[in-house]
Amino acid sequence: MNRTLGVCYYPEHWPETQWAEDAARMAALGLTFVRIGEFAWSRLEPKRGAYDFDWLKRSIDTLHAAGLKVVLGTPTATPPKWLVDEMPDMLPVGADGLVRKFGSRRHYDFSHDGFLEECKRITLALAKAFGAHPGVAAWQTDNEYDCHNTTLSYSPAAREGFQAWLQQKYQSPEALNRAWGNVFWSMEVSDFGEIELPNLTVTEANPAHMMDFRRYASDRVVRFNRAQSDIIRAHSPSRDVIHNFMGRTLAFDHFAVGADLDISSWDSYPLGFLEDRSDQNDEWKQKFARTGDPDFQAFHHDLYRATSKGRWWVMEQQPGPVNWAPHNPAPRDGMVRLWSWEAFAHGAETVSYFRWRQAPFAQEQMHAGLLRPDSIEAEGFFEAAQVAAELRRLDADLDAYPGKADVAIVFDYPSAWAWEIQPQGREFDYFRLVFDFYLSLRRLGLSVDIIPASAPQLDGYRLVVIPGLFSWSADLIAAIRAHQGHLLIGPRSGSKTSDFAIPESLPPALPADVLNIRVTRIETLRADTPVQVSEGGALQFWREFIEIGSSAETILCADDGVSALVKQGNLHYLGGWPDQALMHGILLKLANAACLLTKDLDDGVRLRRHGNHVFAFNYGATSFDLATLGWTGTPLLGELVLEPSGVAITAVSGAGY
Ligand code: GAL
């Protein structure tokens, strides 16, 4: 595979006289791709129907002439003022009932059919104009769905769309009343037109109502993306269709959107994410303030690799300080390079930096680029140049694809919606739960694949972990039954029917031949009242009381005598949320049982297997001797003593590393 680098560029921000020089410098830096156009609607169509594509053509020509390949964005994340004035009801409405106004970006409602038609129109015009341009190699649909919390909108268009969606799903109001349990609090309706959106209610709305609204809203994002990808495919053959997802964004089903993409990409801002989106405490945030969390990027690499069946990019890589987190430190020297290599270790085809030159104006003037506003190279530029040089030397030696990991985590967006709707205890957050398992596996030196609950291919994994799954599908139960390797299920998995009710047989509601237990009661715990488990560690936040049937046995008990971990055949069930010590103990036991070689890694050192190589990364503040992990000889890249921000690659053979 030809691993490449790219950059995000806004020709409309700079005088045309500067374009050729910019393009030449990009090419000289060793970049291959340039993403442009995704916010340029007001320049592409200043008035309805008055297309002005000439400047875009000249900019694509210029980039192409310099040997660069363009990723052309559809500009639908920034509808122009004239369009908003024509159809003001296309604006999204917040849960507080207030209209979210024009003046920044993403000011549209996924449910608005009129706006969708406008998006199709501009996409078609662009696809016809540039679909066959030799400089256009790929397309990006819109920009970061859900950025600024824009999946959910409580507009009249959403209400109408939701009612039609419900009618199709339930066919009759009686069926809906039954499924939702609307007899409770006299919530019954006699017509689909009576159904309101689940906001601004006096107290909580029915969870089944909220869950269907989340499903509906996710479907609208899929519909929106598909409308664009269909047009692009029809008019720009053999170009890849890409979307750029975000970090810790769960509001829509990325597997469903990914099914319409050739390549999933995501926007990786490690320092912003640590400050803004991490559950870790201040001590951790301080420790990794200039490097980012050692597992957060990796998790998303593994997640998004799965959303489009293997092909994926980083579309935007943080190149220096950003502008949007509570604090915006500069990356430690070497981290921009490390983040780039880490993406390649997880199988990325391309890493593209955001952005070429820092803009001296408007909202993101404090956001670094590869160039400073005065066009002098910023720190990140030199690290990108180093990666480009290293790729030239090493790319051919590395396998095209990372291959299958030994361990998999099943991931499911509807479960995230469900537990957001009904956390039951403040800390119960699906992402946090899954991420806890992920980082614990990574501390054992294991590489992890993420697989969708909606298409559960468990074959070949020695250990599969299914935490916090809302509801079983028949496919997943069949896959669990057929699985030859080890499985760890729970907590809270299978605790609801798809209608958001407690299953008749009580959770986890697996057939008795698979797992013969019943969760008869649960409790949630304050963070300062964990339940100790004498073998080490504790259950925190969430704990279950399990009744054990024949063929299941208790493996671990909490100190109050309640079963914490039970086993039946190759399947373990965990009745609570383990802290890191307990999690480590359990995963280590299961990894051993699955004959996986484990390590005991520092907080800051991480490994990733990629084909016949292993990559090592040092997020920590002190150097780390890879010989202690059994590495010998001279690594392909880096040294055996891995400096802070260091990257090393070594060849391995066989299963373990
Ligand atoms: C992303 C977005 C970019 C830019 C960037 C700043 O979320 O796609 O347009 O705003 O953040 O970090």
Side-chain angles (χ1 to χ4, degrees):
M1 165 158 80
N2 188 10
R3 273 159 276 256
T4 52
L5 300 177
V7 76
C8 304
Y9 184 53
Y10 299 91
E12 70 276 22
H13 294 181
W14 313 107
E16 194 164 337
T17 47
Q18 202 161 357
W19 295 354
E21 190 191 326
D22 280 343
R25 288 176 80 185
M26 290 172 192
L29 172 58
L31 305 182
T32 302
F33 288 97
V34 187
R35 185 198 64 183
I36 64 172
E38 83 278 12
F39 297 130
W41 199 335
S42 72
R43 289 293 172 95
L44 293 168
E45 192 184 12
K47 289 198 179 97
R48 168 168 293 285
Y51 296 123
D52 181 1
F53 290 177
D54 291 352
W55 67 269
L56 184 59
K57 175 162 186 327
R58 291 195 301 277
S59 70
I60 296 173
D61 289 345
T62 305
L63 294 164
H64 180 51
L68 297 158
K69 298 179 182 181
V70 169
V71 179
L72 187 54
T74 63
T76 50
T78 48
K81 184 72 166 82
W82 60 259
L83 179 54
V84 178
D85 286 346
E86 268 183 30
M87 45 172 78
D89 57 355
M90 61 164 275
L91 290 170
V93 177
D96 56 3
L98 295 177
V99 173
R100 303 178 75 183
K101 297 194 297 184
F102 175 85
S104 61
R105 63 178 172 183
R106 300 211 52 75
H107 41 280
Y108 69 80
D109 189 319
F110 282 104
S111 290
H112 196 278
D113 291 340
F115 179 62
L116 181 64
E117 288 311 310
E118 291 299 312
C119 292
K120 288 189 196 165
R121 186 178 58 76
I122 189 77
T123 302
L124 180 64
L126 285 164
K128 280 185 170 167
F130 300 109
H133 193 297
V136 173
W139 292 79
Q140 177 185 295
T141 53
D142 200 89
N143 190 76
E144 290 191 338
Y145 297 135
D146 196 52
C147 187
H148 319 304
N149 300 319
T150 44
T151 297
L152 300 180
S153 169
Y154 298 85
S155 63
R159 179 166 181 247
E160 222 176 275
F162 184 43
Q163 290 171 349
W165 186 93
L166 290 170
Q167 178 143 26
Q168 207 177 20
K169 175 167 178 181
Y170 293 104
Q171 303 292 316
S172 74
E174 294 74 32
L176 178 141
N177 286 331
R178 252 195 322 276
W180 286 9
N182 274 347
V183 60
F184 195 77
W185 287 351
S186 280
M187 292 180 294
E188 283 157 311
V189 291
S190 51
D191 189 283
F192 285 100
E194 293 173 9
I195 295 165
E196 303 276 356
L197 296 176
N199 65 323
L200 297 172
T201 47
V202 170
T203 183
E204 60 181 314
N206 186 337
H209 183 175
M210 290 197 264
M211 189 70 185
D212 268 341
F213 185 56
R214 303 298 300 258
R215 291 177 174 126
Y216 160 78
S218 178
D219 283 1
R220 289 287 105 153
V221 180
V222 174
R223 171 182 86 145
F224 187 88
N225 183 69
R226 185 173 299 154
Q228 297 198 12
S229 60
D230 282 352
I231 292 168
I232 295 165
R233 283 189 210 294
H235 295 275
S236 192
S238 71
R239 269 72 170 181
D240 289 318
V241 179
I242 312 178
H243 178 75
N244 55 335
F245 296 133
M246 299 166 68
R248 197 170 183 169
T249 298
L250 302 146
F252 63 92
D253 189 335
H254 292 50
F255 293 109
V257 170
D260 292 319
L261 301 174
D262 298 298
I263 298 175
S264 287
S265 73
W266 80 288
D267 298 342
S268 178
Y269 292 93
L271 305 191
F273 292 145
L274 181 74
E275 272 283 296
D276 204 39
R277 300 198 183 165
S278 162
D279 298 306
Q280 298 281 5
N281 60 24
D282 280 346
E283 195 193 331
W284 187 266
K285 291 189 180 183
Q286 190 184 24
K287 185 165 168 186
F288 294 108
R290 293 187 188 280
T291 61
D293 183 278
D295 299 291
F296 194 91
Q297 290 66 249
F299 178 84
H300 290 85
H301 297 339
D302 289 334
L303 174 62
Y304 295 134
R305 189 176 63 251
T307 55
S308 49
K309 297 176 209 73
R311 293 193 63 197
W312 74 279
W313 290 16
V314 170
M315 188 62 88
E316 300 180 11
Q317 170 64 70
Q318 174 168 2
V322 301
N323 64 307
W324 46 264
H327 308 96
N328 297 294
R332 191 171 72 195
D333 285 351
M335 287 311 294
V336 173
R337 168 178 174 260
L338 182 151
W339 296 326
S340 310
W341 270 113
E342 190 173 34
F344 292 127
H346 288 254
E349 293 177 9
T350 298
V351 173
S352 161
Y353 301 95
F354 182 92
R355 52 186 279 153
W356 175 243
R357 183 187 295 102
Q358 182 171 353
F361 47 79
Q363 280 94 327
E364 293 181 350
Q365 53 186 267
M366 303 304 288
H367 193 297
L370 291 180
L371 300 186
R372 305 185 326 208
D374 63 0
S375 292
I376 303 294
E377 294 84 354
E379 289 75 359
F381 182 99
F382 299 104
E383 297 197 22
Q386 187 179 346
V387 178
E390 288 166 344
L391 279 177
R392 277 194 292 274
R393 180 162 71 81
L394 295 176
D395 184 59
D397 295 337
L398 300 171
D399 295 296
Y401 296 102
K404 209 166 179 163
D406 292 321
V407 181
I409 294 183
V410 171
F411 193 81
D412 180 52
Y413 286 91
S415 300
W417 311 332
W419 308 144
E420 195 182 315
I421 291 167
Q422 190 184 72
Q424 180 69 8
R426 191 169 55 202
E427 288 79 7
F428 204 104
D429 175 273
Y430 181 69
F431 180 90
R432 182 174 183 175
L433 176 68
V434 174
F435 190 68
D436 266 7
F437 280 90
Y438 181 82
L439 77 88
S440 204
L441 289 163
R442 296 247 304 162
R443 279 183 189 163
L444 290 170
L446 298 167
S447 296
V448 181
D449 284 347
I450 302 224
I451 46 183
S454 49
Q457 308 284 343
L458 310 186
D459 305 351
Y461 290 107
R462 296 200 196 186
L463 173 61
V464 175
V465 182
I466 312 180
L469 188 89
F470 168 63
S471 183
W472 303 115
S473 65
D475 281 357
L476 186 50
I477 293 180
I480 290 171
R481 191 178 257 129
H483 188 58
Q484 303 288 316
H486 291 262
L487 281 154
L488 176 62
I489 294 180
R492 214 176 175 173
S493 287
S495 60
K496 303 290 174 187
T497 66
S498 61
D499 289 331
F500 217 122
I502 297 170
E504 234 177 84
S505 60
L506 296 188
L510 282 167
D513 66 308
V514 177
L515 181 62
N516 191 14
I517 63 167
R518 262 200 280 235
V519 175
T520 55
R521 175 161 90 144
I522 66 98
E523 63 173 353
T524 53
L525 304 165
R526 291 173 51 93
D528 54 8
T529 56
V531 178
Q532 297 303 318
V533 175
S534 38
E535 289 210 11
L539 295 171
Q540 55 181 358
F541 310 147
W542 173 278
R543 188 271 270 269
E544 300 172 359
F545 296 81
I546 301 174
E547 198 177 274
I548 306 210
S550 60
S551 59
E553 55 177 316
T554 296
I555 301 294
L556 275 183
C557 269
D559 282 2
D560 57 6
V562 176
S563 298
L565 183 70
V566 300
K567 178 176 190 292
Q568 180 168 328
N570 59 350
L571 191 160
H572 282 75
Y573 183 87
L574 182 55
W577 185 321
D579 67 2
Q580 275 305 317
L582 179 58
M583 178 91 86
H584 180 83
I586 293 172
L587 290 174
L588 184 61
K589 257 193 218 137
L590 288 177
N592 286 340
C595 295
L596 295 171
L597 278 184
T598 58
K599 317 277 181 213
D600 190 6
L601 294 180
D602 277 17
D603 276 350
V605 174
R606 291 292 179 267
L607 303 175
R608 218 301 162 178
R609 175 87 184 242
H610 181 287
N612 290 315
H613 291 91
V614 176
F615 287 63
F617 301 96
N618 192 354
Y619 278 79
T622 51
S623 33
F624 179 84
D625 187 357
L626 290 165
T628 61
L629 302 181
W631 288 38
T632 51
T634 311
L636 195 64
L637 178 70
E639 310 285 336
L640 275 188
V641 175
L642 193 64
E643 300 296 332
S645 308
V647 179
I649 307 177
T650 194
V652 283
S653 56
Y657 59 87

PDB file of all heavy atoms in Angstrom, residues 10 38-39 105 143-144 147 244 267 269 316 322-324 354 364 367, ligand 1:
ATOM      1  N   TYR A  10      -7.887  25.930   2.160  1.00  0.00           N
ATOM      2  CA  TYR A  10      -9.047  26.773   1.839  1.00  0.00           C
ATOM      3  C   TYR A  10      -8.620  27.834   0.830  1.00  0.00           C
ATOM      4  O   TYR A  10      -8.308  28.958   1.218  1.00  0.00           O
ATOM      5  CB  TYR A  10      -9.607  27.411   3.134  1.00  0.00           C
ATOM      6  CG  TYR A  10     -10.060  26.329   4.081  1.00  0.00           C
ATOM      7  CD1 TYR A  10      -9.184  25.797   5.033  1.00  0.00           C
ATOM      8  CD2 TYR A  10     -11.328  25.776   3.968  1.00  0.00           C
ATOM      9  CE1 TYR A  10      -9.573  24.753   5.855  1.00  0.00           C
ATOM     10  CE2 TYR A  10     -11.729  24.721   4.786  1.00  0.00           C
ATOM     11  CZ  TYR A  10     -10.847  24.219   5.722  1.00  0.00           C
ATOM     12  OH  TYR A  10     -11.238  23.173   6.524  1.00  0.00           O
ATOM     13  N   GLU A  38     -15.076  22.362   1.475  1.00  0.00           N
ATOM     14  CA  GLU A  38     -16.207  21.895   2.280  1.00  0.00           C
ATOM     15  C   GLU A  38     -17.005  23.003   2.968  1.00  0.00           C
ATOM     16  O   GLU A  38     -18.082  22.726   3.487  1.00  0.00           O
ATOM     17  CB  GLU A  38     -15.770  20.798   3.266  1.00  0.00           C
ATOM     18  CG  GLU A  38     -15.150  21.274   4.552  1.00  0.00           C
ATOM     19  CD  GLU A  38     -13.688  21.624   4.427  1.00  0.00           C
ATOM     20  OE1 GLU A  38     -13.182  21.715   3.305  1.00  0.00           O
ATOM     21  OE2 GLU A  38     -13.038  21.835   5.473  1.00  0.00           O
ATOM     22  N   PHE A  39     -16.487  24.229   2.963  1.00  0.00           N
ATOM     23  CA  PHE A  39     -17.289  25.305   3.573  1.00  0.00           C
ATOM     24  C   PHE A  39     -17.526  26.461   2.587  1.00  0.00           C
ATOM     25  O   PHE A  39     -17.801  27.580   3.008  1.00  0.00           O
ATOM     26  CB  PHE A  39     -16.577  25.866   4.818  1.00  0.00           C
ATOM     27  CG  PHE A  39     -16.387  24.859   5.925  1.00  0.00           C
ATOM     28  CD1 PHE A  39     -15.136  24.693   6.525  1.00  0.00           C
ATOM     29  CD2 PHE A  39     -17.443  24.099   6.400  1.00  0.00           C
ATOM     30  CE1 PHE A  39     -14.954  23.776   7.560  1.00  0.00           C
ATOM     31  CE2 PHE A  39     -17.266  23.174   7.438  1.00  0.00           C
ATOM     32  CZ  PHE A  39     -16.019  23.019   8.012  1.00  0.00           C
ATOM     33  N   ARG A 105     -21.832  27.574  11.608  1.00  0.00           N
ATOM     34  CA  ARG A 105     -21.924  26.489  10.625  1.00  0.00           C
ATOM     35  C   ARG A 105     -22.864  25.408  11.144  1.00  0.00           C
ATOM     36  O   ARG A 105     -23.291  25.443  12.281  1.00  0.00           O
ATOM     37  CB  ARG A 105     -20.539  25.917  10.315  1.00  0.00           C
ATOM     38  CG  ARG A 105     -19.865  25.287  11.511  1.00  0.00           C
ATOM     39  CD  ARG A 105     -18.511  24.688  11.133  1.00  0.00           C
ATOM     40  NE  ARG A 105     -17.790  24.264  12.312  1.00  0.00           N
ATOM     41  CZ  ARG A 105     -16.567  23.763  12.303  1.00  0.00           C
ATOM     42  NH1 ARG A 105     -15.918  23.617  11.164  1.00  0.00           N
ATOM     43  NH2 ARG A 105     -15.974  23.392  13.415  1.00  0.00           N
ATOM     44  N   ASN A 143     -19.441  17.922   6.312  1.00  0.00           N
ATOM     45  CA  ASN A 143     -18.299  17.961   7.230  1.00  0.00           C
ATOM     46  C   ASN A 143     -18.766  17.617   8.634  1.00  0.00           C
ATOM     47  O   ASN A 143     -19.673  18.249   9.168  1.00  0.00           O
ATOM     48  CB  ASN A 143     -17.683  19.365   7.263  1.00  0.00           C
ATOM     49  CG  ASN A 143     -16.365  19.394   8.017  1.00  0.00           C
ATOM     50  OD1 ASN A 143     -15.339  18.945   7.500  1.00  0.00           O
ATOM     51  ND2 ASN A 143     -16.383  19.874   9.246  1.00  0.00           N
ATOM     52  N   GLU A 144     -18.183  16.584   9.200  1.00  0.00           N
ATOM     53  CA  GLU A 144     -18.425  16.201  10.601  1.00  0.00           C
ATOM     54  C   GLU A 144     -19.899  16.240  10.999  1.00  0.00           C
ATOM     55  O   GLU A 144     -20.334  17.124  11.744  1.00  0.00           O
ATOM     56  CB  GLU A 144     -17.624  17.098  11.544  1.00  0.00           C
ATOM     57  CG  GLU A 144     -16.135  16.853  11.488  1.00  0.00           C
ATOM     58  CD  GLU A 144     -15.379  17.569  12.613  1.00  0.00           C
ATOM     59  OE1 GLU A 144     -15.895  18.551  13.168  1.00  0.00           O
ATOM     60  OE2 GLU A 144     -14.266  17.142  12.926  1.00  0.00           O
ATOM     61  N   CYS A 147     -21.291  17.486  14.509  1.00  0.00           N
ATOM     62  CA  CYS A 147     -20.463  18.497  15.166  1.00  0.00           C
ATOM     63  C   CYS A 147     -21.392  19.570  15.729  1.00  0.00           C
ATOM     64  O   CYS A 147     -22.402  19.912  15.107  1.00  0.00           O
ATOM     65  CB  CYS A 147     -19.496  19.093  14.151  1.00  0.00           C
ATOM     66  SG  CYS A 147     -18.305  20.207  14.897  1.00  0.00           S
ATOM     67  N   ASN A 244     -15.834  12.660   7.133  1.00  0.00           N
ATOM     68  CA  ASN A 244     -14.933  12.809   8.284  1.00  0.00           C
ATOM     69  C   ASN A 244     -15.733  12.799   9.581  1.00  0.00           C
ATOM     70  O   ASN A 244     -16.426  13.748   9.914  1.00  0.00           O
ATOM     71  CB  ASN A 244     -14.076  14.071   8.152  1.00  0.00           C
ATOM     72  CG  ASN A 244     -14.866  15.354   7.959  1.00  0.00           C
ATOM     73  OD1 ASN A 244     -16.002  15.337   7.461  1.00  0.00           O
ATOM     74  ND2 ASN A 244     -14.301  16.467   8.365  1.00  0.00           N
ATOM     75  N   ASP A 267     -11.458  12.981  12.469  1.00  0.00           N
ATOM     76  CA  ASP A 267     -10.678  14.178  12.736  1.00  0.00           C
ATOM     77  C   ASP A 267     -10.085  14.059  14.128  1.00  0.00           C
ATOM     78  O   ASP A 267     -10.804  14.045  15.127  1.00  0.00           O
ATOM     79  CB  ASP A 267     -11.568  15.407  12.587  1.00  0.00           C
ATOM     80  CG  ASP A 267     -12.093  15.530  11.150  1.00  0.00           C
ATOM     81  OD1 ASP A 267     -11.499  14.878  10.258  1.00  0.00           O
ATOM     82  OD2 ASP A 267     -13.061  16.259  10.922  1.00  0.00           O
ATOM     83  N   TYR A 269      -7.873  15.179  17.180  1.00  0.00           N
ATOM     84  CA  TYR A 269      -7.339  16.331  17.920  1.00  0.00           C
ATOM     85  C   TYR A 269      -6.985  15.879  19.333  1.00  0.00           C
ATOM     86  O   TYR A 269      -7.715  16.149  20.294  1.00  0.00           O
ATOM     87  CB  TYR A 269      -8.374  17.462  17.934  1.00  0.00           C
ATOM     88  CG  TYR A 269      -8.585  18.052  16.564  1.00  0.00           C
ATOM     89  CD1 TYR A 269      -9.583  17.591  15.717  1.00  0.00           C
ATOM     90  CD2 TYR A 269      -7.736  19.048  16.100  1.00  0.00           C
ATOM     91  CE1 TYR A 269      -9.737  18.116  14.440  1.00  0.00           C
ATOM     92  CE2 TYR A 269      -7.878  19.578  14.824  1.00  0.00           C
ATOM     93  CZ  TYR A 269      -8.882  19.106  14.003  1.00  0.00           C
ATOM     94  OH  TYR A 269      -9.021  19.626  12.743  1.00  0.00           O
ATOM     95  N   GLU A 316      -8.349  14.999   9.429  1.00  0.00           N
ATOM     96  CA  GLU A 316      -7.804  16.200  10.069  1.00  0.00           C
ATOM     97  C   GLU A 316      -6.963  15.763  11.265  1.00  0.00           C
ATOM     98  O   GLU A 316      -7.476  15.158  12.193  1.00  0.00           O
ATOM     99  CB  GLU A 316      -8.938  17.111  10.558  1.00  0.00           C
ATOM    100  CG  GLU A 316      -9.860  17.589   9.441  1.00  0.00           C
ATOM    101  CD  GLU A 316     -10.985  18.495   9.942  1.00  0.00           C
ATOM    102  OE1 GLU A 316     -10.949  18.928  11.104  1.00  0.00           O
ATOM    103  OE2 GLU A 316     -11.912  18.754   9.160  1.00  0.00           O
ATOM    104  N   VAL A 322      -4.871  23.874  19.299  1.00  0.00           N
ATOM    105  CA  VAL A 322      -6.172  24.179  18.700  1.00  0.00           C
ATOM    106  C   VAL A 322      -6.796  25.338  19.450  1.00  0.00           C
ATOM    107  O   VAL A 322      -6.152  25.972  20.302  1.00  0.00           O
ATOM    108  CB  VAL A 322      -7.103  22.934  18.673  1.00  0.00           C
ATOM    109  CG1 VAL A 322      -6.462  21.818  17.876  1.00  0.00           C
ATOM    110  CG2 VAL A 322      -7.482  22.467  20.069  1.00  0.00           C
ATOM    111  N   ASN A 323      -8.034  25.669  19.128  1.00  0.00           N
ATOM    112  CA  ASN A 323      -8.643  26.867  19.706  1.00  0.00           C
ATOM    113  C   ASN A 323      -9.889  26.582  20.529  1.00  0.00           C
ATOM    114  O   ASN A 323     -10.468  27.487  21.094  1.00  0.00           O
ATOM    115  CB  ASN A 323      -9.039  27.823  18.576  1.00  0.00           C
ATOM    116  CG  ASN A 323     -10.117  27.210  17.688  1.00  0.00           C
ATOM    117  OD1 ASN A 323      -9.952  26.101  17.202  1.00  0.00           O
ATOM    118  ND2 ASN A 323     -11.208  27.900  17.497  1.00  0.00           N
ATOM    119  N   TRP A 324     -10.342  25.306  20.596  1.00  0.00           N
ATOM    120  CA  TRP A 324     -11.706  25.086  21.071  1.00  0.00           C
ATOM    121  C   TRP A 324     -11.846  24.363  22.402  1.00  0.00           C
ATOM    122  O   TRP A 324     -12.945  24.191  22.893  1.00  0.00           O
ATOM    123  CB  TRP A 324     -12.508  24.337  20.002  1.00  0.00           C
ATOM    124  CG  TRP A 324     -11.804  23.148  19.384  1.00  0.00           C
ATOM    125  CD1 TRP A 324     -11.104  23.149  18.204  1.00  0.00           C
ATOM    126  CD2 TRP A 324     -11.715  21.821  19.903  1.00  0.00           C
ATOM    127  NE1 TRP A 324     -10.595  21.896  17.954  1.00  0.00           N
ATOM    128  CE2 TRP A 324     -10.954  21.055  18.981  1.00  0.00           C
ATOM    129  CE3 TRP A 324     -12.194  21.180  21.048  1.00  0.00           C
ATOM    130  CZ2 TRP A 324     -10.665  19.706  19.162  1.00  0.00           C
ATOM    131  CZ3 TRP A 324     -11.908  19.831  21.235  1.00  0.00           C
ATOM    132  CH2 TRP A 324     -11.150  19.116  20.303  1.00  0.00           C
ATOM    133  N   PHE A 354      -4.777  19.318   9.604  1.00  0.00           N
ATOM    134  CA  PHE A 354      -5.680  20.465   9.566  1.00  0.00           C
ATOM    135  C   PHE A 354      -4.968  21.641  10.198  1.00  0.00           C
ATOM    136  O   PHE A 354      -4.702  21.620  11.383  1.00  0.00           O
ATOM    137  CB  PHE A 354      -6.969  20.204  10.348  1.00  0.00           C
ATOM    138  CG  PHE A 354      -7.917  21.367  10.271  1.00  0.00           C
ATOM    139  CD1 PHE A 354      -8.875  21.412   9.283  1.00  0.00           C
ATOM    140  CD2 PHE A 354      -7.832  22.425  11.165  1.00  0.00           C
ATOM    141  CE1 PHE A 354      -9.739  22.506   9.183  1.00  0.00           C
ATOM    142  CE2 PHE A 354      -8.685  23.514  11.060  1.00  0.00           C
ATOM    143  CZ  PHE A 354      -9.634  23.547  10.076  1.00  0.00           C
ATOM    144  N   GLU A 364     -11.505  30.675  13.825  1.00  0.00           N
ATOM    145  CA  GLU A 364     -10.400  29.757  14.145  1.00  0.00           C
ATOM    146  C   GLU A 364      -9.029  30.409  14.011  1.00  0.00           C
ATOM    147  O   GLU A 364      -8.034  29.738  13.750  1.00  0.00           O
ATOM    148  CB  GLU A 364     -10.530  28.492  13.293  1.00  0.00           C
ATOM    149  CG  GLU A 364     -11.771  27.712  13.701  1.00  0.00           C
ATOM    150  CD  GLU A 364     -11.992  26.413  12.951  1.00  0.00           C
ATOM    151  OE1 GLU A 364     -11.289  26.173  11.950  1.00  0.00           O
ATOM    152  OE2 GLU A 364     -12.888  25.657  13.371  1.00  0.00           O
ATOM    153  N   HIS A 367      -6.158  28.822  15.887  1.00  0.00           N
ATOM    154  CA  HIS A 367      -5.892  27.397  15.600  1.00  0.00           C
ATOM    155  C   HIS A 367      -4.666  27.269  14.713  1.00  0.00           C
ATOM    156  O   HIS A 367      -4.601  27.840  13.632  1.00  0.00           O
ATOM    157  CB  HIS A 367      -7.119  26.820  14.887  1.00  0.00           C
ATOM    158  CG  HIS A 367      -7.140  25.337  14.795  1.00  0.00           C
ATOM    159  ND1 HIS A 367      -6.196  24.603  14.110  1.00  0.00           N
ATOM    160  CD2 HIS A 367      -8.010  24.442  15.305  1.00  0.00           C
ATOM    161  CE1 HIS A 367      -6.493  23.318  14.200  1.00  0.00           C
ATOM    162  NE2 HIS A 367      -7.588  23.193  14.928  1.00  0.00           N
TER     163      HIS A 367
HETATM  164  C1  GAL B   1     -12.995  20.175  13.112  1.00  0.00           C
HETATM  165  C2  GAL B   1     -13.626  20.747  11.857  1.00  0.00           C
HETATM  166  C3  GAL B   1     -12.730  21.756  11.173  1.00  0.00           C
HETATM  167  C4  GAL B   1     -12.138  22.697  12.178  1.00  0.00           C
HETATM  168  C5  GAL B   1     -11.388  21.904  13.213  1.00  0.00           C
HETATM  169  C6  GAL B   1     -10.697  22.753  14.246  1.00  0.00           C
HETATM  170  O1  GAL B   1     -13.961  19.759  14.008  1.00  0.00           O
HETATM  171  O2  GAL B   1     -13.953  19.743  10.937  1.00  0.00           O
HETATM  172  O3  GAL B   1     -13.473  22.467  10.213  1.00  0.00           O
HETATM  173  O4  GAL B   1     -13.157  23.435  12.759  1.00  0.00           O
HETATM  174  O5  GAL B   1     -12.278  21.064  13.889  1.00  0.00           O
HETATM  175  O6  GAL B   1     -10.013  21.964  15.193  1.00  0.00           O
END
